[in-house]
Amino acid sequence: MKPNIYYAHQDVVPVDNSTLDEWEYPPFSGYYDGTYVWGRGSLDDKHMIVGMLQSVEYILENEPDFQPNRTLLLAFGADEEISGNYGSAYISEVLYERYGQNGIYSFIDEGGNAVANLNGVWIASPATGEKGFMNLEVTIDYAGGHSSVPPDHTSIGIAAMMINAIEEQLFPPMFTPANPVTEYFQCMAEYSEVLPATLKSDFANAYKSSISNKRVIDYLTKLGGKTFEYLLRTSQAVDVINGGIKANALPESTNFVVNTRIAVESTVNATLTKITANVAEVAQLLNLSLFIDGTRVTNGTTSGRVSINTITTLEPAPVSPENAVWDQFAGTIKSYFEDVAFPGSTNYTDVDLVIAPSIMNANTDSRHYWNLTSNIYRFQPSFMNAKLVANIHSADEHFDADNLMHIFGFFYDYLHVLSSQEE
Ligand SMILES: [Zn+2]
């Protein structure tokens, strides 16, 4: 039988020394105050490592007759926060040599998607997809000289025009069956008792009617702000700019970096085409030559030159199918939370937990494992606490022990489900 993988990353983002005063307890103390564990990594991603290891340790200690039918692999990367090129890249290579293409049963990784309540519906939403990614740099080389006789636009001014063109045209929001998160929202609408009937019908008809589709997008954008909006569209952010050295010298070269997170429905190429069109529009207006990744695309009549260079690219992740492996994973979430977590940790009994797929706006190390399995689930088996989530990668990161126990409990259950499975 194919083995399955519990995956987490050991590394954390650094602590900014200037924020040390803002920590309730020192960031590397791991202090437990009886309710919370405090420290960098407590919610990204040490809690997952601890829960996974604890589930195994508990079985080793207490269940001497345990004989798994299916092997469990524990894989812990060491540089997820900087792309996993030295950790997961090598782990996956070893696993590929050992098990081959699609040789792994399922891969469970961190995910921002814990159990939450939306419009009165309790939903667990493992991410079965992930947006793509592209960083590109635009460089404008233009006339230098003394600033007392400048051209109408300096290279900095041209960069500003280009950035304006990029920001004036946002990527379109989409609500299509290709994006797993639309199923999550449709499930919410179907089970919600507080949503108006008209909106429920808009959700149900969103793939068929363009009017319903637009109303659904408008509603979600209003409800969840940018967080929901960017589950549905490609994002673009100009994050770095460099140009100019002196007040009396014209800037001969200016460059800026655009970071995009690519919608599940889109591609690196389509994203590059849109940004290129925005830049080319300005280049054409000012008669500048345009180069993309070193290749001349248009000839300008002036000596100015614009170069677009892609720095890093990643296509959106393949979406994990809703097959028998998914049903089994979803079923384990449902039974653990309904039978153990809700009665133990909340006042809600008799909850009918809905399980629906979702996506991640950011990327995890799971990108290194695409060729090992199509069953990749990014999920944090705990209750969502927006206040705690706000401290990830920031000062005062902490996590509650109650939820830590749910991570342990879920991984214990899933291990038993997989281990007792007959072929
Ligand atoms: Zn993480």
Side-chain angles (χ1 to χ4, degrees):
M1 287 171 95
K2 291 179 180 177
N4 84 302
I5 297 179
Y6 284 181
Y7 178 81
H9 66 89
Q10 307 168 65
D11 59 305
V12 295
V13 294
V15 170
D16 182 345
N17 279 338
S18 69
T19 66
L20 282 175
D21 300 350
E22 295 166 39
W23 287 80
E24 186 87 17
Y25 298 98
F28 294 103
S29 64
Y31 184 74
Y32 175 51
D33 67 5
T35 307
Y36 299 106
V37 179
W38 297 80
R40 173 63 79 235
S42 54
L43 187 42
D44 181 16
D45 188 27
K46 309 272 190 203
H47 60 330
M48 292 285 277
I49 297 189
V50 169
M52 288 168 177
L53 287 176
Q54 190 63 40
S55 70
V56 174
E57 214 172 285
Y58 184 88
I59 293 170
L60 290 174
E61 245 173 46
N62 298 289
E63 299 172 17
D65 298 331
F66 182 79
Q67 269 298 338
N69 290 346
R70 185 187 296 286
T71 299
L72 168 70
L73 299 169
L74 295 161
F76 301 135
D79 59 343
E80 189 271 350
E81 301 289 1
I82 48 168
S83 298
N85 291 333
Y86 295 95
S88 274
Y90 287 97
I91 297 173
S92 63
E93 210 177 288
V94 170
L95 295 179
Y96 190 83
E97 261 168 44
R98 208 189 286 170
Y99 301 105
Q101 188 80 19
N102 287 318
I104 297 295
Y105 183 75
S106 65
F107 179 92
I108 319 302
D109 191 8
E110 66 177 328
N113 307 285
V115 174
N117 190 297
L118 187 59
N119 283 334
V121 185
W122 283 103
I123 314 183
S125 51
T128 55
E130 211 173 70
K131 288 173 90 173
F133 179 96
M134 177 172 68
N135 277 337
L136 62 81
E137 186 179 45
V138 180
T139 306
I140 301 112
D141 295 307
Y142 202 50
H146 198 276
S147 59
S148 55
V149 244
D152 291 350
H153 304 284
T154 67
S155 66
I156 294 177
I158 296 168
M161 290 165 79
M162 288 171 174
I163 293 167
N164 187 54
I166 292 168
E167 293 190 345
E168 280 294 300
Q169 189 197 4
L170 299 178
F171 286 89
M174 292 171 279
F175 193 95
T176 80
N179 185 346
V181 86
T182 60
E183 194 181 329
Y184 163 78
F185 289 126
Q186 283 184 320
C187 282
M188 175 277 293
E190 189 181 332
Y191 291 101
S192 177
E193 286 171 9
V194 299
L195 221 62
T198 50
L199 204 50
K200 276 169 167 275
S201 115
D202 280 336
F203 271 99
N205 295 310
Y207 299 153
K208 289 175 276 181
S209 146
S210 57
I211 298 165
S212 290
N213 194 286
K214 188 180 178 307
R215 277 203 290 250
V216 160
I217 291 171
D218 289 347
Y219 167 77
L220 289 174
T221 313
K222 229 168 124 186
L223 178 70
K226 293 290 179 201
T227 312
F228 280 5
E229 184 182 326
Y230 284 118
L231 293 170
L232 306 175
R233 70 164 15 139
T234 298
S235 66
Q236 53 177 22
V238 180
D239 289 328
V240 181
I241 185 161
N242 287 298
I245 40 165
K246 244 169 139 259
N248 63 358
L250 295 170
E252 288 171 299
S253 186
T254 298
N255 67 68
F256 61 92
V257 174
V258 188
N259 171 269
T260 62
R261 308 291 174 130
I262 304 165
V264 175
E265 293 92 341
S266 188
T267 59
V268 166
N269 206 20
T271 307
L272 179 62
T273 302
K274 184 267 182 201
I275 304 281
T276 302
N278 298 144
V279 170
E281 181 191 310
V282 178
Q284 203 177 14
L285 187 74
L286 301 177
N287 277 313
L288 310 169
S289 303
L290 179 65
F291 293 76
I292 300 178
D293 285 328
T295 308
R296 183 188 289 268
V297 184
T298 53
N299 262 330
T301 53
T302 65
S303 59
R305 171 192 168 118
V306 179
S307 313
I308 298 176
N309 288 303
T310 50
I311 307 169
T312 38
T313 61
L314 178 71
E315 294 290 352
V319 172
S320 308
E322 288 185 44
N323 52 17
V325 183
W326 163 261
D327 289 345
Q328 184 191 46
F329 181 71
T332 311
I333 296 173
K334 192 167 167 66
S335 69
Y336 175 75
F337 276 87
E338 287 182 0
D339 301 346
V340 181
F342 276 102
S345 283
T346 73
N347 300 322
Y348 305 97
T349 47
D350 236 13
V351 168
D352 188 6
L353 181 66
V354 176
I355 321 290
S358 178
I359 60 161
M360 295 274 292
N361 269 336
N363 300 104
T364 70
D365 255 358
S366 58
R367 78 183 86 167
H368 295 285
Y369 301 84
W370 291 355
N371 58 1
L372 285 164
T373 180
S374 54
N375 307 313
I376 293 177
Y377 311 129
R378 305 152 190 90
F379 179 58
Q380 186 175 293
S382 58
F383 289 103
M384 176 66 100
N385 182 331
K387 239 174 89 191
L388 297 187
V389 170
N391 289 328
I392 291 181
H393 288 207
S394 149
D396 244 2
E397 185 177 344
H398 58 292
F399 191 57
D400 59 303
D402 219 36
N403 266 321
L404 195 54
M405 291 303 288
H406 291 317
I407 295 177
F408 157 43
F410 170 79
F411 282 115
Y412 171 88
D413 265 13
Y414 190 48
L415 184 47
H416 270 280
V417 168
L418 294 174
S419 301
S420 60
Q421 198 183 352
E422 308 286 336
E423 194 59 66

